[in-house]
Amino acid sequence: MTVSEDEARRVAEGARQREWRGPSFARELFLGRLRLDLLHPRPQPDPEAARHGQAFLDRLRAFGEREIDGARIDREGRVPDTVVAGLREIGAFGMKIAPEYGGLGLNHLYYNRALALVGSASPAVAAMLSAHQSIGVPEPLKLFGSEEQKRAFLPRCAAGEISAFLLTEPDVGSDPARLGTTAVRDGDDYVLDGVKLWTTNGVVAALLVVLAKVPEAGITAFVVEATTPGVTVEHRNEFMGLRGLENGVTRLHRVRVPAANRIGEEGQGLRIALTTLTTGRLAMPATCAAAGKWCLRVGREWSQARIQWGKPIARHEAIGSRLAFIAATTFAMEAVLELVSEMADEGRRDIRIEAAIAKLYGSEMAWRMADDLVQIRGGRGYETADSLTARGERGIPVEQLLRDLRIYRIFEGSSEIMRLLIAREAVDTHLKVAGGLIEPDSSLTEKRRAVTSAGRFYARWLPSLAVGRGQLPLAYGDFHVSRHPNLAAHLRYAERAARRLARETFWAMSRWRGRLETKQRLLARIVDIGSELFVMTATCVHAERLRDEDDHGREAYRLADVFCRQARQRVEALFAELLHNADAADRALHLADVQGTGRLGRARRHRRARRRPRPVPHGRVRQRRQR
């Protein structure tokens, strides 16, 4: 199915949540405002929710240590039935489902802590649980389902009937406008036809959330029983990591689905999917934070035991700097996860950007930490755990972790797509006040209105970017504590950098206007700068909270200080790349090859020409016949 670029954009824009349901720290950050009051001080968690959540975590930890064998799951490519049965028994499939529907009713904070706990034992098991509850049947029904649908399906999900989410197709990934699966109304039913790819949990699921296109209405979401005639699992996919993942290809052929199983109204399916993913994405940084802690523990143990040149390799600066990066970044990832989870529980903030940053940052940094751990372990990091065990050493599955974590940079929106999504939300205010000036198809009347609106907004906004709290020596004094590292200095830097980022964003919009969306590497750098500033702020807030609660406050401040120093170096490098980069040269080289005018393109044309039979002139054919 082929659609135009404009049509694809319209579908994506139509699925966006246009109104902001509450204040957003990250949105304000991209506008040059460090609204620390939106993050600090954090309210104390509900004691009853904390007691209930901790009790479940204790049961889950004991079960994981006793029953979950991550190496076996990776080796056999299956999660054993005993593990699934045990998870059902302790209620792990109903963690996010309300008690009135048979679930545990955990809040986001303890749900994500539970996923981190399971992920430390087996990322494949964590992926199964998160796909079932974060994007499978429970979450869409919780947000958009009718009471009848909740009573029909949620108790089954809580009891352990696994659910799956079916959106991707063989020719459709992040461009839903090209969705090929159809749903045609036939009386009280819809008839679904299509093929879905990479259906996590789809191989073993009892209930499916299927997105299909209703003619004249658009993409719509349905709950489909996996046992319905016409639903066929054609293939179980195998991957380089997460080998226990039950992921496959599902064909829907003349599948009749009752209209009562439709979630929301016709045409709302993509919006339902995107809204579900806002909090669903937090499942991945939970697993990534757990992976960071595992990397730190393994790296510390090995670097203390391994002796080179007369001393442990931990005392060599080349190794010590890697361990410092892992320690500081793990602390930052946990800070972001805890903060955004609490904000999701409060429900008073719009966290679409924060959740997206948590997923993007967590997946990218977890991959870097796993790669550093392989480097620290050397050949033993590259060797499999089974091989290490076979020759008498401790089998530590470092290479498996690297394989398992690689998918998180692709899951539920690749890093490239996440950066574009965050960039779109980050410039939403600018598009609202000056969209008529940017859009090439705007009428003269729209442009006149946009000039008036933009003039009023920018007359107030641009001067606010000149000065701020970051220039006051004593600002953010709550974070400057005696005998502790000075985190107030990092917050002042973040405030100054936020205003600088807003100025650079405005400059980019002024220069490129409607073509800004094609400058994807520029947008990626803007998003990465904002992400670093958000994580820096969250880390400082988390450290202050731990200090205030007398929970290893000095160590928390030191970790936050080291992380902020590392992050500031990355931010400065990204700012420099906004102006000095190889984007134009890269683009020219790439387009020359695509269009066939470059060296590689000419080589391809030459090879094709050699394969084609050369035409023989008519006179030469006649001469050959005479001979």
Side-chain angles (χ1 to χ4, degrees):
M1 182 179 179
T2 303
V3 298
S4 67
E5 184 177 352
D6 289 340
E7 185 178 351
R9 187 186 298 108
R10 282 196 299 271
V11 170
E13 278 295 306
R16 277 188 64 252
Q17 182 181 323
R18 295 182 179 275
E19 299 301 323
W20 293 80
R21 295 177 297 175
S24 166
F25 174 84
R27 182 191 183 207
E28 294 291 323
L29 180 71
F30 281 104
L31 287 171
R33 305 162 184 155
L34 192 77
R35 291 284 307 278
L36 192 61
D37 59 294
L38 297 178
L39 304 184
H40 174 75
R42 302 298 308 147
Q44 291 298 320
D46 179 18
E48 179 59 27
R51 184 196 62 78
H52 177 55
Q54 190 58 50
F56 174 73
L57 290 183
D58 293 339
R59 296 196 303 273
L60 184 62
R61 181 180 291 105
F63 173 80
E65 293 173 351
R66 184 177 65 251
E67 299 292 342
I68 300 178
D69 185 346
R72 177 189 173 189
I73 292 172
D74 182 73
R75 185 168 53 250
E76 298 179 357
R78 290 286 194 282
V79 176
D81 293 340
T82 55
V83 172
V84 177
L87 292 171
R88 287 192 180 110
E89 186 177 346
I90 65 175
F93 287 96
M95 287 187 284
K96 289 186 71 176
I97 299 175
E100 57 263 34
Y101 303 113
L104 297 179
L106 298 185
N107 58 22
H108 288 91
L109 179 62
Y110 279 93
Y111 169 69
N112 289 322
R113 287 180 178 178
L115 290 180
L117 188 60
V118 173
S120 64
S122 171
V125 177
M128 176 184 67
L129 290 174
S130 65
H132 164 71
Q133 293 171 89
S134 299
I135 58 175
V137 170
E139 190 67 13
L141 289 191
K142 174 185 174 182
L143 297 175
F144 299 97
S146 66
E147 185 60 30
E148 292 75 13
Q149 291 172 334
K150 293 177 182 178
R151 295 194 179 280
F153 298 116
L154 291 185
R156 295 170 57 183
C157 293
E161 290 193 39
I162 299 175
S163 67
F165 178 76
L166 279 61
L167 169 61
T168 306
E169 298 179 0
D171 198 35
V172 178
S174 300
D175 184 7
R178 300 172 59 242
L179 200 73
T181 300
T182 59
V184 179
R185 188 68 182 256
D186 185 13
D188 293 333
D189 297 335
Y190 288 87
V191 180
L192 274 60
D193 284 280
V195 178
K196 296 295 185 179
L197 176 63
W198 296 325
T199 59
T200 301
N201 286 355
V203 178
V204 296
L207 295 169
L208 314 171
V209 175
V210 179
L211 269 68
K213 186 171 290 186
V214 176
E216 308 301 328
I219 299 173
T220 306
F222 302 89
V223 178
V224 179
E225 300 272 1
T227 56
T228 306
V231 178
T232 306
V233 177
E234 295 189 335
H235 179 70
R236 183 183 186 271
N237 301 321
E238 297 181 5
F239 304 102
M240 75 178 194
L242 292 186
R243 290 179 175 171
L245 201 65
E246 296 291 350
N247 181 296
V249 178
T250 301
R251 182 175 295 276
L252 307 167
H253 178 64
R254 305 294 297 168
V255 177
R256 300 192 72 86
V257 179
N261 286 18
R262 186 189 68 215
I263 306 175
E265 299 298 325
E266 290 184 350
Q268 290 185 341
L270 190 56
R271 179 172 298 180
I272 290 172
L274 294 178
T275 305
T276 299
L277 284 172
T278 295
T279 54
R281 288 193 176 101
L282 295 179
M284 279 180 285
T287 306
C288 291
K293 290 184 177 182
W294 190 86
C295 288
L296 183 60
R297 177 171 60 83
V298 171
R300 280 175 171 169
E301 290 175 355
W302 173 249
S303 61
Q304 291 290 345
R306 180 67 166 172
I307 306 296
Q308 293 286 282
W309 294 297
K311 58 183 178 181
I313 61 174
R315 298 191 179 184
H316 292 285
E317 186 177 2
I319 301 300
S321 62
R322 293 184 186 273
L323 290 172
F325 166 74
I326 294 174
T329 305
T330 298
F331 180 78
M333 288 168 57
E334 186 174 40
V336 170
L337 178 65
E338 297 269 314
L339 180 68
V340 181
S341 297
E342 290 177 353
M343 293 168 69
D345 288 327
E346 292 173 18
R348 295 186 292 110
R349 307 279 188 265
D350 194 316
I351 63 167
R352 70 182 84 167
I353 301 181
E354 289 84 347
I357 289 176
K359 186 271 179 187
L360 171 66
Y361 200 86
S363 60
E364 290 290 330
M365 287 302 183
W367 168 256
R368 284 186 57 183
M369 288 190 289
D371 184 66
D372 275 358
L373 181 60
V374 171
Q375 195 70 19
I376 291 171
R377 290 269 298 172
R380 290 170 176 83
Y382 194 67
E383 190 175 0
T384 66
D386 288 343
S387 177
L388 289 166
T389 303
R391 61 183 183 81
E393 291 199 25
R394 182 184 174 191
I396 301 178
V398 174
E399 60 83 29
Q400 178 190 335
L401 179 71
L402 195 70
R403 289 188 284 105
D404 287 344
L405 287 178
R406 185 59 183 85
I407 188 59
Y408 288 96
R409 298 172 66 196
I410 302 172
F411 258 168
E412 297 181 20
S414 67
S415 294
E416 291 74 19
I417 294 299
M418 295 305 300
R419 288 185 174 98
L420 294 179
L421 184 151
I422 295 169
R424 172 60 186 86
E425 300 296 349
V427 300
D428 184 56
T429 300
H430 296 287
L431 293 179
K432 285 181 177 179
V433 301
L437 295 174
I438 297 173
E439 290 295 333
D441 298 333
S442 300
S443 65
L444 185 59
T445 302
E446 291 172 331
K447 289 184 182 296
R448 287 173 178 166
R449 282 200 295 263
V451 168
T452 303
S453 175
R456 287 196 300 264
F457 173 78
Y458 290 117
R460 296 189 306 269
W461 179 71
L462 286 173
S464 72
L465 302 181
V467 294
R469 288 188 66 191
Q471 294 168 288
L472 302 177
L474 301 180
Y476 308 108
D478 293 349
F479 295 84
H480 190 183
V481 181
S482 176
R483 295 190 299 276
H484 287 66
N486 183 8
L487 299 187
H490 298 308
L491 290 175
R492 289 195 292 270
Y493 171 83
E495 196 276 337
R496 296 193 303 270
R499 288 186 283 112
R500 181 182 176 187
L501 178 63
R503 293 193 298 268
E504 295 288 355
T505 304
F506 177 75
W507 169 84
M509 294 187 65
S510 301
R511 179 180 180 183
W512 301 110
R513 289 184 288 184
R515 291 184 296 158
L516 182 61
E517 66 179 21
T518 67
K519 304 298 177 181
Q520 295 176 357
R521 295 184 68 181
L522 171 68
L523 292 173
R525 294 184 188 102
I526 289 174
V527 168
D528 286 345
I529 292 171
S531 299
E532 293 283 3
L533 298 178
F534 168 64
V535 178
M536 284 177 61
T537 309
T539 303
C540 292
V541 169
H542 188 59
E544 169 59 17
R545 182 173 183 177
L546 293 178
R547 186 201 65 81
D548 188 53
E549 296 174 355
D550 197 25
D551 188 6
H552 303 285
R554 189 185 298 274
E555 292 82 357
Y557 256 59
R558 184 170 61 178
L559 285 167
D561 176 62
V562 172
F563 172 79
C564 289
R565 291 176 185 274
Q566 295 172 354
R568 287 171 68 162
Q569 290 183 333
R570 294 191 290 268
V571 169
E572 289 302 317
L574 287 165
F575 270 127
E577 289 179 17
L578 287 177
L579 297 177
H580 307 287
N581 53 64
D583 293 355
D586 292 344
R587 181 176 176 82
L589 176 63
H590 168 68
L591 289 180
D593 292 336
V594 170
Q595 296 168 358
T597 59
R599 181 177 179 182
L600 296 177
R602 289 195 299 269
R604 285 196 298 268
R605 290 204 315 275
H606 182 63
R607 287 195 298 270
R608 287 196 298 267
R610 285 195 303 177
R611 286 195 295 266
R612 286 196 295 266
R614 295 182 178 181
V616 181
H618 180 69
R620 192 171 299 174
V621 173
R622 182 179 301 172
Q623 292 175 6
R624 289 178 181 175
R625 288 175 179 173
Q626 290 174 353
R627 291 174 186 172

